[in-house]
Amino acid sequence: MTVSHTESPTSDASPAAPTVFRIPALALSGVALFLFGVTFPVVGAPELFGWMLALPVLLGYWIIRVRTTVTPERFVSRRAFRSTTVPWSSVTGLLFPKLGWGKATLEDGSTVRMPGVTVDKLPLLSAASGGAVPDPSPVEEPAQDEPVEAESAVEQHEAEPRA
């Protein structure tokens, strides 16, 4: 059996790993602090405030569950109780409110929230989408050197003897 080294090995390559945008895990420390605060009324009057223990549990579940998974073909918006899969071909634009996560506008006029995706993550979203989302970052131009004339004038001024 002969193997050609001129053929592209892309057929054997595994697909790129999806990029996941989620709420930072540090948010769970806030849930732990909330749980600590809730225990005081629960211990004082469990019949009245026992239901409050469900709040930190639900909040922790929400933080762990909510995310957006991006591949070059599609993205999956995962909410607390449902998921929506959207191919990039049906996305007509992205909206980013002042506060909160981005939304993808679809061909039918509806929007799909993209949990964890914010304006500052657009370059990462662009790379993960395989170019389906253009990168809005400005292209850095190489620094222009100052004209040589200005440098030589400074050197001449320093070389002159002082009286």
Side-chain angles (χ1 to χ4, degrees):
M1 179 165 128
T2 60
V3 177
S4 172
H5 295 286
T6 59
E7 293 179 340
S8 174
T10 56
S11 60
D12 296 335
S14 62
T19 303
V20 180
F21 298 91
R22 64 178 72 198
I23 300 172
L26 186 61
L28 291 173
S29 64
V31 173
L33 187 63
F34 183 45
L35 178 62
F36 177 73
V38 165
T39 57
F40 292 107
V42 171
V43 169
E47 311 82 34
L48 291 174
F49 299 111
W51 61 271
M52 291 178 71
L53 289 175
L55 295 176
V57 171
L58 291 174
L59 184 59
Y61 168 78
W62 181 78
I63 289 172
I64 293 170
R65 167 105 173 128
V66 171
R67 69 185 64 158
T68 300
T69 305
V70 179
T71 63
E73 297 83 29
R74 66 179 105 22
F75 73 91
V76 179
S77 174
R78 191 167 160 188
R79 307 288 301 268
F81 301 109
R82 63 186 167 104
S83 295
T84 306
T85 302
V86 179
W88 285 114
S89 60
S90 67
V91 175
T92 59
L94 297 175
L95 301 171
F96 289 94
K98 276 189 173 182
L99 299 173
W101 296 319
K103 297 178 183 178
T105 306
L106 306 180
E107 292 173 337
D108 62 359
S110 63
T111 59
V112 176
R113 187 166 291 220
M114 300 175 75
V117 179
T118 55
V119 172
D120 61 333
K121 295 182 181 173
L122 272 175
L124 185 58
L125 178 66
S126 175
S129 68
V133 175
D135 186 4
S137 302
V139 177
E140 293 184 21
E141 296 180 15
Q144 298 290 332
D145 292 335
E146 291 184 20
V148 177
E149 299 166 1
E151 290 177 5
S152 62
V154 171
E155 291 173 1
Q156 287 177 0
H157 178 55
E158 291 174 354
E160 292 177 6
R162 296 192 183 218

